[in-house]
Amino acid sequence: MPALDTVQLIALAGALGWASGVRLYLVVLLTGLAGFMGWFSLPQGLQLLAHPMVLGASGFMVFVEFFADKIPGLDSLWDVVHSVIRIPAGAALAAAVFGADSGVMTLVAALMGGTLAATSFAAKATTRAAINTSPEPFSNVGASLLEDGLVPAGLWLSIAHPLVFVLVLALVLVLSVWLIRICWRFLRQLFTRVARIFSGRPDPGLSPAFTLKSPFAKNDPHV
């Protein structure tokens, strides 16, 4: 069973932190399966994830989350409930990569994992809340399936090509910050509109969260 080198451990800690903010139970299941099947040697702090009871519990929660995350409205409620779980879990899983014996690296990994989990969770939650304002369900399901695929891909890449993963993660973080900014501004406008409607004031309408502007469009409305 191949052991992980230092670069792979750092990349794995980052992957566990980031992915926990998106699909915590899938992260636990896949990491545990990797150790159980002998795909690579899990760090000592993560070996508990390969226990059959942990695999069974995480597998059941993956099944539940798979369907809950694809129902508009329920997915946002699911995110709210898990807001107090995913971020500390991401920090704990990242810290467990280095174990209690590596004090400095464990602390650094915990801070990194918690930050990455918080960023990915905020991007996921705000984006899905903005998508849920659309009456059609297909964009919601599509976004959920994309998340289902990104998590195992990120975990695999962190082990197979750790340096590539670090570069991809940096790009994903930039995209996440942009999504948080765009979606939060849209949601704030939505809350303001709802308050305006209930107060009886005129409603000027709501701009969409995402717009595509043609490069051939003219800025001058009189032309």
Side-chain angles (χ1 to χ4, degrees):
M1 188 182 301
L4 303 180
D5 58 29
T6 303
V7 177
Q8 288 176 312
L9 289 175
I10 294 174
L12 178 61
L16 291 175
W18 168 81
S20 293
V22 181
R23 289 285 191 277
L24 172 61
Y25 303 116
L26 185 58
V27 170
V28 174
L29 177 63
L30 293 178
T31 307
L33 277 177
F36 185 81
M37 301 297 293
W39 296 334
F40 61 87
S41 180
L42 287 179
Q44 185 175 2
L46 296 175
Q47 290 178 3
L48 181 63
L49 303 184
H51 192 281
M53 290 188 65
V54 177
L55 290 175
S58 59
F60 173 75
M61 292 306 299
V62 167
F63 177 80
V64 173
E65 185 172 56
F66 180 84
F67 293 100
D69 196 68
K70 291 170 178 60
I71 301 176
L74 181 59
D75 62 333
S76 293
L77 178 61
W78 186 268
D79 286 337
V80 170
V81 172
H82 286 80
S83 61
V84 296
I85 301 175
R86 291 176 182 167
I87 298 173
L93 288 173
V97 171
F98 295 96
D101 295 333
S102 304
V104 175
M105 287 302 298
T106 301
L107 178 59
V108 171
L111 293 173
M112 176 183 68
T115 302
L116 291 174
T119 303
S120 61
F121 172 77
K124 167 189 164 55
T126 55
T127 301
R128 297 295 290 278
I131 289 175
N132 283 338
T133 61
S134 173
E136 49 80 24
F138 304 107
S139 55
N140 182 286
V141 174
S144 181
L145 290 174
L146 178 62
E147 294 165 3
D148 290 334
L150 286 177
V151 168
L155 293 175
W156 171 82
L157 192 62
S158 68
I159 301 299
H161 305 285
L163 295 179
V164 175
F165 170 78
V166 171
L167 294 176
V168 173
L169 181 60
L171 295 176
V172 170
L173 289 177
V174 173
L175 177 62
S176 297
V177 172
W178 178 79
L179 282 174
I180 293 170
R181 179 176 176 271
I182 294 296
C183 293
W184 175 247
R185 184 172 60 186
F186 170 77
L187 293 172
R188 186 173 59 185
Q189 292 174 352
L190 178 62
F191 297 147
T192 302
R193 182 187 182 191
V194 171
R196 184 183 296 114
I197 292 174
F198 279 98
S199 65
R201 290 178 291 170
D203 177 28
L206 183 67
S207 301
F210 304 100
T211 56
L212 294 177
K213 183 177 180 181
S214 170
F216 304 104
K218 296 181 179 298
N219 295 325
D220 188 355
H222 301 291
V223 177

